[in-house]
Amino acid sequence: MAKIGVFVCHCGENIASKVDTGNLVKALSDHPGVEICNEYKYFCSDPGQETVKRAIRENNLTGVVVAACSPRMHETTFRKACAEAGLNPYMLELANIREQCSWVHSDKEQATEKAIEITRSLVEKVKRNNELKPISVPVTRRALVIGGGIAGIQAALDIAGAGREVILVEREPSIGGHMSQLSETFPTLDCSQCILTPRMVEAIQHPNITVLTYAEVEEVDGYIGNFRVKVRKKARYVDMSKCTGCGDCIQKCPVKKIPSEFECGLGNRTAIYTPFAQAVPNVPVIDRNRCTYFKNGKCKICQKTCQIENCIDFEMQDTWEEYEVGAIVVATGFQIQDTSVYGEYGYGKYKDVITGLHFERLASASGPTAGKILRPSDGKEPETVVFIQCAGSRDPSKGVKYCSKICCMYTAKHAMLYAHKHHGSNSKIFYMDIRAAGKGYDEFTRRAIEEDEAEYLRGRVSKVFEENGKLIVRGVDTLLGKPVEVEADMVVLATAIVPQPDAKEFAKKIGIGYDEYGFYNEAHLKLRPVETATAGIYLCGACQSPKDIPDSVAQASASAAKVLGLFSREQLEREPVVAAVGESTCAGCWGCVYACPYNAIEQKDIRDRNGNLVKQVASVNPGLCQGCGTCVTFCRSNSIDLAGFTEKQIFAEVMAL
Ligand code: SF4
Ligand code: SF4
């Protein structure tokens, strides 16, 4: 006979101010099967949980209903309490009378009535619950890290440093990401390449890391602890195992005027190229769309130049490799917004209107001007540079609604670098407000103003145009309350940080969620910031939201810690809420096979004792099943049930309303 305990939580005033908990207790106390019903201010607190545990032991309860907040918040807490008191944790139900009643209703009487109904229906369900046991699945202790920027490199090094294997996949010919394009980094002004290159080299030389560059993840199957990943290695046309990185082929390639993506078009590259001098691996790749041989069938000068036999191979094809991994870290990074939508700023029209990333290349010692700040139009040193912040960010009309987070800081850095490289510099910064909340960040922007004489003008720019060979920046100074016009030799736009163009498509491929912009969603913004809703897949860096280097590195180490926590076990316990097919009634129509979004259902042969095929039925792989219940609704012969949510349980719940 069922002996159910009902525990009504006040959640401080959260519930009690809108739900008459006394009435709720009274209504449930008389409900058939309810052995004990009481209320308390915070059942999630230690004394609250002790009350539940004591009641289970003293009354030999067969089931528990806690009327409180959402299961997402405290289901684990109360399941643990039940287990500690000797009750199967799946004999617990959480009636959500906070989010579904007190928070959404203003009428106390109606909120109370609804709370009674919800709690009563869960009492009926829990009476029909069965004891369930977690499912054990093995864990493959190898991680996949997607993206070889600073976040991906850091995550890979942390995991590998703890003795676990890592496959690091980067789609560009070299690892390094955007950080390799930067000159100095805020707030310490240390050289980006100097701090990044040793980490890149460490990653490629690490015995536990396999670096796959010029490669893309094409398919991801499986589940936490047991993913199967298919990676496409694009044809490089240069044999990685033979190339010494001498660069002779690059020197001799006759196609020399291809705008370099790495230099943001401010410099050129050849058809066979490494993206930058410190590239890792230092092995060139042939751009087949620009190569004379691939276009006309003639040339092969690089091959003739190369001293190593068969190192350059024009017959090379893409290859596919499959890996089994237990966890995935997504670190696919960001892009900058296409600034051409801001026609009023003259980007694309005037050569000397550039983006912050262009400025980084100009300021970089390894850049196209060897670190001199020179105007792209005539190579002269600019006397006045105007920086425009929020060129795309916080602008719902044309750009993006959010703050790109790093622009205030890198603009201050640009003004400082310009002052250090060009004495007598004159930099003016149009800003909306300064967001410098990070360690040493506010001091850094102050230094730009006080020591390097950057002049901040609070206001928006309405137009940039050319007059008598000068760029005129027209805007408004909102502090003075008057329009301003500034003559500039160069204009630098702090463009918005946006997701990678294929971010949404890629998220669908690997099965993670994304927000309205295409940044990847974390499981919980505050409590699970590096986990995705898909167990075993973690996030780090700017693929989640705009982020600076310190935050990206911290988040990378956090996701590595999550992976190592997962790998600390040989077996993993999973929720037993999975579907099961009744083989005797299954008609073999395969409706469920096609309906399952996780490919968790397969066809199974039923044979007699002589091995003759009797029939084929659907069969659920409990390791893959996520308990979504889609198959249950699709089965026309009513042959599938979901453990913990059987038809009997749901029906009882509904009938109690
Ligand atoms: S074959 Fe292609 S990559 Fe090689 S030298 Fe000629 S153009 Fe350059
Ligand atoms: S939908 Fe139902 S009947 Fe059809 S294969 Fe799946 S379990 Fe069998």
Side-chain angles (χ1 to χ4, degrees):
M1 205 188 100
K3 290 169 107 184
I4 311 298
V6 178
F7 303 93
V8 180
C9 184
H10 296 180
C11 194
E13 284 297 296
N14 270 309
I15 292 171
S17 65
K18 278 285 170 313
V19 172
D20 186 336
T21 50
N23 259 349
L24 176 54
V25 169
K26 207 161 143 226
L28 266 294
S29 298
D30 297 336
H31 191 82
V34 173
E35 182 76 10
I36 175 170
C37 182
N38 54 32
E39 58 185 307
Y40 186 61
K41 209 168 176 63
Y42 292 109
F43 267 115
C44 60
S45 67
D46 253 7
Q49 288 182 60
E50 277 309 315
T51 309
V52 176
K53 286 190 225 171
R54 207 175 319 112
I56 294 172
R57 287 194 203 101
E58 287 173 2
N59 299 283
N60 290 325
L61 297 180
T62 59
V64 165
V65 175
V66 181
C69 49
S70 73
R72 192 183 169 99
M73 193 79 188
H74 274 308
E75 191 171 58
T76 315
T77 313
F78 292 112
R79 275 190 181 163
K80 214 165 139 246
C82 288
E84 281 169 15
L87 183 68
N88 183 284
Y90 296 92
M91 300 305 289
L92 163 96
E93 292 295 335
L94 215 55
N96 185 353
I97 59 166
R98 190 178 73 175
E99 283 85 340
Q100 292 177 0
C101 297
S102 63
W103 279 2
V104 289
H105 295 290
S106 49
D107 185 290
K108 193 164 184 171
E109 205 176 308
Q110 286 183 342
T112 308
E113 204 178 309
K114 187 173 171 186
I116 293 171
E117 295 259 303
I118 290 174
T119 314
R120 196 184 280 148
S121 78
L122 282 162
V123 169
E124 286 308 310
K125 176 172 187 275
V126 84
K127 281 188 199 169
R128 288 154 182 86
N129 278 14
N130 294 314
E131 294 193 351
L132 299 174
K133 279 206 183 101
I135 300 164
S136 272
V137 287
V139 178
T140 306
R141 290 148 149 188
R142 183 186 301 115
L144 170 75
V145 176
I146 311 172
I150 183 59
I153 291 173
Q154 182 68 38
L157 284 172
D158 285 353
I159 298 167
R164 301 294 173 203
E165 267 183 73
V166 180
I167 315 291
L168 175 60
V169 178
E170 166 57 51
R171 66 172 157 191
E172 298 299 328
S174 168
I175 55 172
H178 280 297
M179 189 174 166
S180 59
Q181 290 177 286
L182 308 182
S183 49
E184 274 89 9
T185 53
F186 60 79
T188 45
L189 285 189
D190 39 8
C191 155
S192 185
Q193 281 287 358
C194 309
I195 55 175
L196 176 67
T197 311
R199 306 244 80 189
M200 291 160 66
V201 173
E202 200 186 331
I204 200 140
Q205 289 180 349
H206 202 295
N208 290 342
I209 303 179
T210 303
V211 177
L212 305 175
T213 49
Y214 216 42
E216 295 197 39
V217 171
E218 293 222 319
E219 276 174 38
V220 174
D221 280 326
Y223 53 95
I224 182 169
N226 296 276
F227 293 105
R228 279 184 310 279
V229 181
K230 197 169 173 187
V231 178
R232 179 164 72 103
K233 290 171 75 182
K234 294 177 274 186
R236 218 178 169 103
Y237 306 107
V238 178
D239 189 331
M240 298 262 296
S241 63
K242 292 180 179 160
C243 176
T244 60
C246 69
D248 290 351
C249 54
I250 299 173
Q251 296 294 328
K252 291 282 166 18
C253 177
V255 190
K256 296 198 186 297
K257 291 259 167 87
I258 303 168
S260 160
E261 297 81 1
F262 183 80
E263 301 293 1
C264 304
L266 293 171
N268 292 328
R269 65 166 171 85
T270 43
I272 184 165
Y273 72 105
T274 48
F276 52 102
Q278 304 88 338
V280 171
N282 184 23
V283 175
V285 57
I286 294 181
D287 176 351
R288 67 174 288 150
N289 295 326
R290 308 296 188 106
C291 167
T292 313
Y293 173 74
F294 280 114
K295 275 160 74 178
N296 306 333
K298 286 187 193 143
C299 185
K300 290 196 174 179
I301 291 173
C302 53
Q303 197 182 50
K304 289 167 207 150
T305 308
C306 182
Q307 304 285 315
I308 298 164
E309 207 179 335
N310 299 330
C311 181
I312 296 181
D313 175 9
F314 288 91
E315 304 305 317
M316 199 178 267
Q317 300 289 325
D318 291 0
T319 53
W320 280 264
E321 284 177 9
E322 288 198 2
Y323 296 92
E324 291 193 349
V325 297
I328 299 174
V329 177
V330 184
T332 47
F334 66 96
Q335 276 304 329
I336 57 167
Q337 194 194 21
D338 174 12
T339 313
S340 59
V341 293
Y342 286 91
E344 63 270 37
Y345 293 157
Y347 180 80
K349 187 173 175 193
Y350 307 120
K351 277 189 169 176
D352 297 327
V353 178
I354 60 172
T355 67
L357 206 51
H358 286 111
F359 194 90
E360 294 286 345
R361 294 314 301 146
L362 291 178
S364 171
S366 63
T369 55
K372 286 195 178 142
I373 310 291
L374 302 177
R375 287 164 35 121
S377 63
D378 55 10
K380 288 190 183 149
E381 282 191 300
E383 295 303 319
T384 303
V385 178
V386 169
F387 297 90
I388 303 176
Q389 291 194 181
C390 298
S393 309
R394 304 167 69 194
D395 180 7
S397 62
K398 277 209 233 171
V400 293
K401 278 186 265 176
Y402 54 84
C403 164
S404 288
K405 199 172 174 189
I406 58 173
C407 322
C408 287
M409 293 307 298
Y410 76 62
T411 301
K413 179 190 79 175
H414 288 168
M416 287 166 95
L417 292 179
Y418 173 43
H420 299 173
K421 287 169 186 282
H422 182 70
H423 296 290
S425 65
N426 184 11
S427 48
K428 296 188 187 298
I429 301 171
F430 280 89
Y431 74 105
M432 285 164 71
D433 46 55
I434 304 293
R435 297 185 170 181
K439 189 172 179 178
Y441 286 12
D442 194 50
E443 297 91 316
F444 185 79
T445 49
R446 291 200 169 280
R447 255 173 68 201
I449 299 166
E450 289 158 14
E451 292 175 25
D452 294 314
E453 298 177 0
E455 187 185 341
Y456 276 78
L457 298 161
R458 191 176 191 279
R460 277 277 198 193
V461 169
S462 58
K463 196 170 181 182
V464 177
F465 56 97
E466 212 172 40
E467 206 171 78
N468 304 325
K470 286 270 187 190
L471 291 167
I472 311 293
V473 182
R474 181 181 287 162
V476 62
D477 185 330
T478 52
L479 294 180
L480 294 178
K482 62 176 194 184
V484 282
E485 277 194 1
V486 181
E487 273 193 6
D489 300 305
M490 195 156 91
V491 173
V492 183
L493 307 176
T495 35
I497 301 291
V498 293
Q500 295 280 11
D502 62 346
K504 292 182 182 174
E505 205 185 305
F506 189 68
K508 286 179 199 156
K509 199 183 276 178
I510 61 171
I512 59 172
Y514 52 86
D515 65 16
E516 59 183 298
Y517 309 105
F519 288 116
Y520 297 149
N521 280 343
E522 56 291 302
H524 190 285
L525 198 57
K526 284 163 276 181
L527 303 178
R528 294 169 65 198
V530 297
E531 293 163 74
T532 66
T534 307
I537 304 187
Y538 308 94
L539 296 175
C540 60
C543 64
Q544 185 206 27
S545 65
K547 219 165 263 127
D548 59 20
I549 297 167
D551 282 358
S552 297
V553 169
Q555 208 187 24
S557 292
S559 56
K562 286 282 171 195
V563 171
L564 293 171
L566 173 65
F567 289 179
S568 65
R569 289 164 285 175
E570 277 178 13
Q571 297 278 327
L572 186 71
E573 291 208 327
R574 287 205 50 219
E575 281 278 296
V577 180
V578 293
V581 176
E583 294 179 351
S584 56
T585 54
C586 171
C589 72
W590 316 133
C592 56
V593 176
Y594 301 116
C596 176
Y598 300 98
N599 297 327
I601 310 181
E602 52 203 15
Q603 299 178 10
K604 177 182 161 191
D605 293 345
I606 304 281
R607 295 182 183 275
D608 65 17
R609 67 180 67 168
N610 298 321
N612 302 318
L613 183 67
V614 177
K615 68 186 256 193
Q616 287 188 306
V617 294
S619 173
V620 176
N621 178 339
L624 289 176
C625 176
Q626 301 292 314
C628 70
T630 308
C631 58
V632 180
T633 58
F634 266 80
C635 181
R636 278 175 278 177
S637 65
N638 207 10
S639 301
I640 313 183
D641 243 342
L642 191 64
F645 295 91
T646 61
E647 192 175 89
K648 238 165 68 184
Q649 289 169 305
I650 304 281
F651 195 68
E653 222 179 313
V654 174
M655 291 311 287
L657 291 173

